[in-house]
Amino acid sequence: LNLFAVRYFEVGGDYLKNDKFQADSRFKEVFYANLSQESSFKIYEYLSPKRLISVYYANLSEAQDPMVKISRENPDRIIIEFNFTGNEAVLFKEFYYPSWTAGEDGYNKNLNIKKTVENFMSVQPSKGASEVIFYQKNTLDILIGYSFSLMTLTLILTVLIFGKRGIIADIISFKTA
Protein backbone atom coordinates (compact mmCIF):
# COMPACT_ATOMS: atom_id res chain seq x y z
CA LEU A 1 0.00 0.00 0.00
CA ASN A 2 2.86 2.37 0.70
CA LEU A 3 4.12 2.10 -2.88
CA PHE A 4 0.99 3.88 -4.08
CA ALA A 5 0.15 6.07 -1.07
CA VAL A 6 -3.22 4.30 -0.81
CA ARG A 7 -5.59 5.80 1.73
CA TYR A 8 -8.79 3.81 1.04
CA PHE A 9 -9.21 0.36 -0.48
CA GLU A 10 -11.93 -2.20 -1.03
CA VAL A 11 -11.95 -5.79 0.19
CA GLY A 12 -14.43 -8.28 -1.21
CA GLY A 13 -14.93 -11.82 -2.40
CA ASP A 14 -12.62 -14.44 -0.91
CA TYR A 15 -10.64 -11.77 0.95
CA LEU A 16 -13.69 -11.09 3.15
CA LYS A 17 -13.65 -14.70 4.38
CA ASN A 18 -10.11 -14.23 5.73
CA ASP A 19 -10.47 -10.58 6.72
CA LYS A 20 -7.02 -9.92 8.21
CA PHE A 21 -7.51 -6.15 8.05
CA GLN A 22 -10.21 -6.25 10.78
CA ALA A 23 -7.68 -7.15 13.49
CA ASP A 24 -4.87 -4.91 12.23
CA SER A 25 -4.68 -1.55 14.03
CA ARG A 26 -3.27 0.16 10.91
CA PHE A 27 -6.68 -0.16 9.21
CA LYS A 28 -10.14 1.13 10.05
CA GLU A 29 -13.34 -0.21 8.50
CA VAL A 30 -15.31 2.74 7.10
CA PHE A 31 -18.02 1.00 5.07
CA TYR A 32 -19.59 -2.45 4.84
CA ALA A 33 -22.10 -3.52 2.21
CA ASN A 34 -23.72 -6.93 2.61
CA LEU A 35 -25.73 -6.95 -0.62
CA SER A 36 -25.61 -10.71 -1.14
CA GLN A 37 -23.26 -13.60 -0.47
CA GLU A 38 -21.39 -12.96 -3.74
CA SER A 39 -21.28 -9.18 -3.70
CA SER A 40 -20.42 -8.20 -0.13
CA PHE A 41 -17.51 -5.83 0.36
CA LYS A 42 -15.85 -3.56 2.89
CA ILE A 43 -13.95 -0.32 2.47
CA TYR A 44 -11.01 0.24 4.79
CA GLU A 45 -8.99 3.34 5.55
CA TYR A 46 -5.23 2.89 5.78
CA LEU A 47 -4.36 5.07 8.76
CA SER A 48 -0.68 5.68 7.99
CA PRO A 49 -0.14 6.04 4.22
CA LYS A 50 3.11 7.42 2.92
CA ARG A 51 3.17 10.61 0.89
CA LEU A 52 3.61 9.79 -2.80
CA ILE A 53 5.87 11.82 -5.07
CA SER A 54 4.84 10.74 -8.53
CA VAL A 55 7.15 11.44 -11.46
CA TYR A 56 5.04 10.87 -14.55
CA TYR A 57 6.40 13.38 -17.05
CA ALA A 58 10.07 13.74 -16.43
CA ASN A 59 10.78 16.89 -18.44
CA LEU A 60 9.08 19.02 -15.82
CA SER A 61 10.94 22.10 -14.76
CA GLU A 62 8.61 22.42 -11.82
CA ALA A 63 6.58 19.83 -9.99
CA GLN A 64 2.96 20.21 -8.92
CA ASP A 65 4.21 20.47 -5.35
CA PRO A 66 6.42 23.58 -5.04
CA MET A 67 8.55 21.77 -2.43
CA VAL A 68 9.56 19.12 -5.00
CA LYS A 69 12.07 19.92 -7.72
CA ILE A 70 12.34 17.48 -10.63
CA SER A 71 15.00 17.78 -13.32
CA ARG A 72 15.87 15.60 -16.29
CA GLU A 73 18.56 17.00 -18.53
CA ASN A 74 19.43 13.56 -19.87
CA PRO A 75 17.03 10.72 -20.81
CA ASP A 76 19.08 8.31 -18.68
CA ARG A 77 19.04 10.37 -15.47
CA ILE A 78 16.34 12.06 -13.40
CA ILE A 79 16.79 13.93 -10.13
CA ILE A 80 14.04 14.50 -7.54
CA GLU A 81 14.94 17.03 -4.85
CA PHE A 82 12.86 17.13 -1.68
CA ASN A 83 13.48 17.09 2.08
CA PHE A 84 12.40 13.52 2.75
CA THR A 85 11.05 12.65 6.18
CA GLY A 86 11.15 8.89 5.63
CA ASN A 87 7.39 8.89 5.21
CA GLU A 88 7.33 9.26 1.42
CA ALA A 89 7.56 7.02 -1.61
CA VAL A 90 8.79 8.08 -5.06
CA LEU A 91 6.94 6.48 -7.95
CA PHE A 92 8.78 6.84 -11.27
CA LYS A 93 6.20 6.20 -13.98
CA GLU A 94 8.60 4.92 -16.56
CA PHE A 95 8.81 1.23 -17.41
CA TYR A 96 11.14 -0.82 -15.26
CA TYR A 97 14.26 -2.20 -16.91
CA PRO A 98 17.15 -3.88 -15.03
CA SER A 99 19.59 -1.17 -16.11
CA TRP A 100 17.75 1.43 -14.00
CA THR A 101 19.38 2.17 -10.64
CA ALA A 102 18.37 4.57 -7.89
CA GLY A 103 20.57 6.48 -5.48
CA GLU A 104 20.03 8.78 -2.57
CA ASP A 105 21.87 12.08 -2.05
CA GLY A 106 23.95 11.76 -5.17
CA TYR A 107 25.31 8.29 -5.66
CA ASN A 108 26.25 7.79 -2.01
CA LYS A 109 23.53 5.29 -1.08
CA ASN A 110 21.83 2.83 -3.43
CA LEU A 111 18.09 2.45 -3.10
CA ASN A 112 16.20 -0.75 -3.79
CA ILE A 113 13.91 -0.24 -6.79
CA LYS A 114 10.63 -2.08 -6.43
CA LYS A 115 8.79 -2.96 -9.62
CA THR A 116 5.11 -2.05 -9.34
CA VAL A 117 2.19 -3.99 -10.78
CA GLU A 118 2.06 -1.60 -13.76
CA ASN A 119 5.81 -2.24 -14.34
CA PHE A 120 6.78 1.21 -13.02
CA MET A 121 9.54 1.85 -10.46
CA SER A 122 9.18 2.87 -6.83
CA VAL A 123 11.68 3.68 -4.07
CA GLN A 124 11.37 4.69 -0.44
CA PRO A 125 14.01 7.25 0.54
CA SER A 126 15.32 7.40 4.10
CA LYS A 127 14.66 10.12 6.59
CA GLY A 128 16.90 13.15 6.04
CA ALA A 129 17.64 12.47 2.38
CA SER A 130 17.41 15.50 0.13
CA GLU A 131 17.71 13.95 -3.32
CA VAL A 132 16.76 10.78 -5.19
CA ILE A 133 18.39 9.99 -8.53
CA PHE A 134 17.18 7.41 -11.02
CA TYR A 135 19.86 6.63 -13.59
CA GLN A 136 20.65 4.05 -16.24
CA LYS A 137 23.65 1.83 -15.67
CA ASN A 138 25.17 -0.29 -18.43
CA THR A 139 24.40 -3.95 -17.88
CA LEU A 140 26.37 -6.91 -19.21
CA ASP A 141 24.04 -7.46 -22.18
CA ILE A 142 24.38 -3.80 -23.23
CA LEU A 143 28.19 -3.96 -22.95
CA ILE A 144 28.25 -7.18 -25.02
CA GLY A 145 26.09 -5.47 -27.66
CA TYR A 146 28.47 -2.48 -27.78
CA SER A 147 31.45 -4.84 -28.12
CA PHE A 148 29.90 -6.77 -31.05
CA SER A 149 28.97 -3.50 -32.77
CA LEU A 150 32.52 -2.17 -32.39
CA MET A 151 34.06 -5.43 -33.67
CA THR A 152 31.73 -5.45 -36.69
CA LEU A 153 32.56 -1.82 -37.51
CA THR A 154 36.29 -2.59 -37.22
CA LEU A 155 35.92 -5.60 -39.54
CA ILE A 156 34.02 -3.59 -42.15
CA LEU A 157 36.56 -0.75 -42.10
CA THR A 158 39.44 -3.26 -42.35
CA VAL A 159 37.92 -4.89 -45.42
CA LEU A 160 37.23 -1.50 -47.01
CA ILE A 161 40.74 -0.21 -46.39
CA PHE A 162 42.94 -3.28 -46.88
CA GLY A 163 40.88 -5.68 -49.02
CA LYS A 164 41.93 -6.42 -52.64
CA ARG A 165 38.56 -5.23 -53.89
CA GLY A 166 38.12 -2.62 -51.18
CA ILE A 167 36.97 0.89 -51.95
CA ILE A 168 40.28 2.39 -50.83
CA ALA A 169 42.25 -0.06 -53.03
CA ASP A 170 40.05 0.89 -56.03
CA ILE A 171 40.60 4.60 -55.43
CA ILE A 172 44.37 4.15 -55.17
CA SER A 173 44.54 1.98 -58.32
CA PHE A 174 42.39 4.48 -60.27
CA LYS A 175 44.71 7.37 -59.40
CA THR A 176 47.88 5.48 -60.35
CA ALA A 177 46.55 4.25 -63.69
Side-chain angles (χ1 to χ4, degrees):
L1 294 174
N2 281 330
L3 293 178
F4 300 106
V6 170
R7 179 99 185 177
Y8 296 95
F9 60 96
E10 176 185 346
V11 176
D14 290 337
Y15 291 105
L16 268 181
K17 295 175 186 167
N18 284 330
D19 192 356
K20 297 178 182 177
F21 300 106
Q22 186 73 39
D24 194 325
S25 63
R26 297 176 299 162
F27 307 102
K28 175 181 158 190
E29 181 183 318
V30 293
F31 183 76
Y32 177 62
N34 190 6
L35 305 173
S36 70
Q37 186 68 15
E38 293 82 29
S39 63
S40 296
F41 68 93
K42 291 181 181 180
I43 295 179
Y44 283 98
E45 178 181 6
Y46 183 36
L47 299 175
S48 58
K50 291 187 177 278
R51 179 177 180 177
L52 181 68
I53 298 172
S54 179
V55 181
Y56 59 91
Y57 181 70
N59 288 329
L60 294 175
S61 57
E62 57 187 61
Q64 291 185 2
D65 184 340
M67 299 181 73
V68 178
K69 182 181 176 197
I70 301 170
S71 59
R72 188 175 196 174
E73 298 166 3
N74 180 325
D76 294 340
R77 187 172 159 210
I78 184 165
I79 301 170
I80 300 101
E81 294 178 55
F82 181 75
N83 291 324
F84 294 99
T85 63
N87 209 17
E88 299 88 7
V90 177
L91 176 65
F92 185 24
K93 292 186 177 181
E94 195 159 303
F95 290 118
Y96 173 83
Y97 190 75
S99 63
W100 279 105
T101 306
E104 191 174 89
D105 292 333
Y107 301 97
N108 296 335
K109 180 181 176 194
N110 284 339
L111 292 173
N112 182 26
I113 295 179
K114 295 178 182 164
K115 186 165 60 167
T116 67
V117 175
E118 291 85 11
N119 208 23
F120 296 144
M121 298 173 273
S122 177
V123 296
Q124 291 184 315
S126 357
K127 182 178 183 179
S130 61
E131 178 181 78
V132 169
I133 299 175
F134 286 92
Y135 59 97
Q136 292 260 14
K137 195 168 73 170
N138 286 337
T139 57
L140 182 60
D141 56 341
I142 291 172
L143 293 174
I144 290 171
Y146 286 153
S147 299
F148 277 117
S149 296
L150 186 60
M151 288 187 304
T152 304
L153 180 62
T154 304
L155 180 65
I156 291 170
L157 288 175
T158 303
V159 169
L160 286 174
I161 294 171
F162 299 109
K164 285 187 176 183
R165 294 278 183 200
I167 294 172
I168 303 298
D170 289 344
I171 293 172
I172 293 171
S173 65
F174 178 74
K175 286 183 179 180
T176 58

